[in-house]
């Protein structure tokens, strides 16, 4: 990089690290800094990662939120400055300015900007700090008034250490000792010691009094009244969310997208009609507070949503609502939504009115009838979802193909289209698998057997994944020992092979994948076919193996979501194998790899049948 690249308009550009618990906020800051020509060398969502990334990347400036897990922001500032006295630290926080700006200055920070201010303020502060000037609100640095401090206890708070202050905040927010220990990476006993010390220093006799002291001194402001997202933060998300917005608008069922705190980012018209408000009236507000939930259920639902966000896992819940004095039952669901770089942006949520289904179930008298009806209703629901979703998704796919024909599209635009096509194709394949699963469970799926060259079919199927394996740096080998043709359904055989190969490549980072096919005559013009797909991937825990063949039985944790696992493929393969008169078995060792074996006994095809 030459001198012209390192500076713009005479201004020296810098390497910057961003530390904030919210991916959306980090994205907005990144876009703002990169527009100025700076380089964002690292991002962290907790204190411990921030310290490690600082050692690895050696940034010129750290932009830091105080309220982060695993290590409080003030502790992080002190440790960063101990390691590198020349490092510049700018705090961008939702915590109370009057109390924390001075503490940040004492800890070694060069500036403080409140998240309640416009993002332009952060830009100005970064420029000042990078040029060697401090940037603190004037009112935050005024001399402390001892008389006033004695009344509200703030004088004592100024005597607390950074760690004591962080523990006080967590206690006031209702965290248990065990949760605080996990957040700050310290022992349960240490948290208890801090708690006792705080009660002694603040002359508090209970946790309620501690919480009241924290509230009076605005220590909870960043948590209780988090700032509304700035328009610039919404703009920073547009690139990530535009395709999703278009797809959701075309869906016939009510759908909406929320951020990590449950605030509405956007929704489709069906959701607006359900709530009875326009998007402009709802955007930025907490979805749980829009009046559609019974008052008694709001807090419980909100806790469940935040727990799902914290664990980055999907959830489903049936809600009983009262609409115009009529009982309505809504099946509500949420699915974590990630950006193109894997960062968690929030939740895609939806709802389906299942009142008629629930009323039908209530009318059934026996447990057997209820089970049968529920299964039938599930099948009808999955079929309806497949039917309603496939048409809009096919339209989206067509529009993406049309956009791809634009010769003037930039390289970045072409890459975005490629990602969108892959996402659209994945959704269409998932819907197809759901339809097949429903047909299999209802006995409606019919096999269409024909004389098949298994050697050619298998080699063609493996070849389709060669580019994907090469892109991941994996070897992909195929060994086929089949001479004669056999009678089977080639489409269903290839469906099993594709699922097994796709899973193997998704969950393998090093080594490779091996495919072997053998056919052994077993008399009476029958042939036993054995297809084996082996990988050197991450493997599967033994306790999870029995659940793999049940649809969605395993929770979609962050590992499975980031690798694209749906929880459906192996269940479909097992049922297809059963339908074809065969079997599918799985062997795996955690950390060593997985071996999937398909066995089929099929008739041998004579040459003249072709």
């Amino acid at each position: 990089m030459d001198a012209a690249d390192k500076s713009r308009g005479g201004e020296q550009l810098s390497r910057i690290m961003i530390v904030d618990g919210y991916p959306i906020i980090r994205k907005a800051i990144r876009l703002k800094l990169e527009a100025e020509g700076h380089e964002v060398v690292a991002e962290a969502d907790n204190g411990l990662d921030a310290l490690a990334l600082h050692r690895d990347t050696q940034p010129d400036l750290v932009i830091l939120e105080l309220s982060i897990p695993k290590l409080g922001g003030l502790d992080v500032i002190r440790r960063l400055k101990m390691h590198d006295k020349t490092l510049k630290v700018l705090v961008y926080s939702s915590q109370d300015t009057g109390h924390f700006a001075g503490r940040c200055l004492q800890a070694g920070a060069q500036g403080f900007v409140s998240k309640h201010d416009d993002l332009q303020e952060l830009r100005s502060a970064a420029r000042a700090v990078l040029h060697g000037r401090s940037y603190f609100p004037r009112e935050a640095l005024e001399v402390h008034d001892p008389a006033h401090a004695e009344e509200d206890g703030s004088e004592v708070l100024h005597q607390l250490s950074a760690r004591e202050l962080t523990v006080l905040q967590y206690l006031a927010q209702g965290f248990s000792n065990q949760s605080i220990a996990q957040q700050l990476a310290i022992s349960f006993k240490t948290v208890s010691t801090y708690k006792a010390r705080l009660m002694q220093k603040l002359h508090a006799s209970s946790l309620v009094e501690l919480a009241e002291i924290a509230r009076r001194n605005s220590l909870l402001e960043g948590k209780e009244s988090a700032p509304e997202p700035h328009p610039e933060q919404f703009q920073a998300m547009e690139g990530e969310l535009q395709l999703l917005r278009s797809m959701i608008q075309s869906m016939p069922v009510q759908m909406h997208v929320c951020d990590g705190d449950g605030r509405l980012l956007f929704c489709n018209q069906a959701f607006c009609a359900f709530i009875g408000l326009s998007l402009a009236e709802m955007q930025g507000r907490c979805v749980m507070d829009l009046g559609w939930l019974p008052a008694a259920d709001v807090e419980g639902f909100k806790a469940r949503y935040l727990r799902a966000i914290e664990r980055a896992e999907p959830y489903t819940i049936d809600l009983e609502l009262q609409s115009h004095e009529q009982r309505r039952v809504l099946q509500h669901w949420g699915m974590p939504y990630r950006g193109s770089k894997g960062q968690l942006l929030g939740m895609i949520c939806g709802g389906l009115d299942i009142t008629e289904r629930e009323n039908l179930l209530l009318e059934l008298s026996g447990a057997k009838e209820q089970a049968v009806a529920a299964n039938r209703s599930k099948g009808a629901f999955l079929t309806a979802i497949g039917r309603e979703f496939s048409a809009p998704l096919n339209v989206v796919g067509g529009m993406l193909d049309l956009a791809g024909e634009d010769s003037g599209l930039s390289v970045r635009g072409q890459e975005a289209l490629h990602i969108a096509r892959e996402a659209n194709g994945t959704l269409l394949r998932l819907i197809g698998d759901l339809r097949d699963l429903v047909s299999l469970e209802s006995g409606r799926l019919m096999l269409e057997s024909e004389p098949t060259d298994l050697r050619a079919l298998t080699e063609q199927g493996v070849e389709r994944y060669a580019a994907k394996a090469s892109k991941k740096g994996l070897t992909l080998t195929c060994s086929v020992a089949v001479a004669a043709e056999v009678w089977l359904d080639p489409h269903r055989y290839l469906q099993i092979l594709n699922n097994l190969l796709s899973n193997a490549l998704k969950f393998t980072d090093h080594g490779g994948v091996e495919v072997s096919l053998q056919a052994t005559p077993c008399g009476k013009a029958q042939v036993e076919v054995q297809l084996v797909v082996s990988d050197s991937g991450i493997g599967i825990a033994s306790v999870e193996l029995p659940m793999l063949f049940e649809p969605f039985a395993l929770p979609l944790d962050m590992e499975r979501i980031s690798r694209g696992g749906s929880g459906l493929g192996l269940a479909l393969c097992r049922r297809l194998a059963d339908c074809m008169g065969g079997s599918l078995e799985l062997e795996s060792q955690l950390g060593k790899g997985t071996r999937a074996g398909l066995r089929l006994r099929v008739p041998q095809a004579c040459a003249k049948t072709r």
Side-chain angles (χ1 to χ4, degrees), residues 45-112:
D45 60 4
N46 66 78
L48 294 181
D49 286 353
L51 295 177
L53 286 170
H54 168 259
R55 288 193 295 269
D56 294 339
T57 59
Q58 296 295 308
D60 304 312
L61 171 67
V62 174
I63 297 179
L64 172 78
E65 162 65 72
L66 292 178
S67 183
I68 50 176
K70 295 188 179 178
L71 198 63
L74 292 172
D75 268 345
V76 173
I77 296 172
R78 286 194 171 89
R79 296 193 188 192
L80 287 173
K81 299 297 286 188
M82 287 175 60
H83 184 267
D84 182 1
K85 296 185 182 302
T86 63
L87 175 68
K88 297 178 175 64
V89 179
L90 172 61
V91 177
Y92 183 52
S93 179
S94 56
Q95 298 289 354
D96 177 60
T97 302
H99 180 79
F100 279 97
R103 295 299 297 263
C104 292
L105 176 63
Q106 294 171 6
Q110 278 70 41
F112 185 102

Side-chain angles (χ1 to χ4, degrees), residues 98-129:
H99 180 79
F100 279 97
R103 295 299 297 263
C104 292
L105 176 63
Q106 294 171 6
Q110 278 70 41
F112 185 102
V113 177
S114 171
K115 284 185 178 176
H116 295 279
D117 297 331
D118 192 271
L119 266 177
Q120 189 63 30
E121 190 78 11
L122 178 65
R123 177 187 177 188
S124 302
R127 284 183 174 180
V129 170

Side-chain angles (χ1 to χ4, degrees), residues 16 60 134 243 316 441 503 523:
I16 300 176
D60 304 312
S134 62
L243 174 64
T316 303
E441 292 189 340
N503 273 354

Side-chain angles (χ1 to χ4, degrees), residues 364-378:
L364 298 174
S365 56
K368 180 178 179 180
E369 288 83 358
Q370 288 186 9
V372 172
N375 192 54
R376 187 187 305 115
S377 181
K378 181 189 72 174

